[in-house]
Amino acid sequence: MQKIDDALLVRAQQGDETALAALIARMMPAIRKGAAAFYAPGLDFEDAVQEGLIGLFQAVRGYQPASGTPFAAYAAACIRHAQQDAQRAALRKKHAPLNFSVPLPDAESIAQPGPEELAIAGERYADTLQRMRTELSPLERRALVASLHGQPAAQTAQELGTTQKAVANALARARRKLRG
């Protein structure tokens, strides 16, 4: 582990982002080494690295030079403790179902329908349109199309010059006929 310059540490404690970045760069080998040692189901390498960085931030905030301990040793202990805490949390029995579960597939990894599925869907669509033309009355057809477009029954009734109840009944008949 490298010796940390006191001026760099003071600047990092005062909020200087470049000093903090330099401090992280110097401590990153120790963080990554610790992350590799603290593997557990439910705690992967990158998570352990993140926990180590949190430990380093706590070390920067809480370090007091008057204690006599070198900052590098204090930071290494904070990093190690943060990673140990994360490992202990990951190994708790309450997390076991998550640690050994199979992840759900991403939306992108779900297979797109192939040509056969698309052809079948096209045939079903054409069949449904044909059945709408032959099996439904004009009122049932208009009520169904308006409903599919999200139009409220009251507005459909007003446009068709009938009652809202007649539109609701026509829509129910249309659905029943198309299901059968």
Side-chain angles (χ1 to χ4, degrees):
M1 184 159 331
Q2 298 182 6
K3 181 172 177 356
I4 304 298
D5 181 29
D6 291 337
L8 180 67
L9 176 61
V10 170
R11 288 195 344 253
Q13 287 177 324
Q14 293 172 346
D16 183 356
E17 290 183 18
T18 56
L20 186 59
L23 201 58
I24 290 171
R26 289 194 182 155
M27 297 299 291
M28 191 52 82
I31 292 171
R32 294 180 70 78
K33 183 177 179 183
F38 288 109
Y39 169 79
L43 178 70
D44 63 5
F45 179 77
E46 292 301 320
D47 291 338
V49 168
Q50 290 296 319
E51 291 296 330
L53 286 170
I54 291 169
L56 177 60
F57 291 140
Q58 291 170 343
V60 169
R61 255 195 349 233
Y63 179 69
Q64 296 175 356
S67 68
T69 306
F71 175 75
Y74 178 74
C78 289
I79 292 166
R80 185 176 57 255
H81 291 145
Q83 290 171 332
Q84 281 175 337
D85 289 345
Q87 182 188 39
R88 270 190 235 110
L91 291 174
R92 286 190 188 121
K93 289 185 181 181
K94 72 177 188 176
H95 297 299
L98 293 174
N99 292 343
F100 300 107
S101 63
V102 177
L104 294 173
D106 293 336
E108 297 170 359
S109 66
I110 296 174
Q112 296 294 322
E116 184 177 319
E117 290 89 6
L118 290 173
I120 291 170
E123 288 175 8
R124 284 185 184 153
Y125 178 72
D127 181 51
T128 302
L129 286 178
Q130 181 61 30
R131 288 181 59 209
M132 283 176 65
R133 284 188 212 107
T134 59
E135 296 178 22
L136 301 182
S137 70
L139 177 61
E140 292 168 345
R141 199 170 31 253
R142 287 181 172 172
L144 181 62
V145 170
S147 173
L148 290 174
H149 288 322
Q151 187 172 340
Q155 185 179 352
T156 304
Q158 186 179 10
E159 288 177 5
L160 297 176
T162 187
T163 65
Q164 193 172 345
K165 182 68 175 171
V167 170
N169 287 339
L171 186 57
R173 283 191 311 272
R175 288 180 177 151
R176 195 172 335 118
K177 287 178 182 179
L178 291 177
R179 272 191 214 123

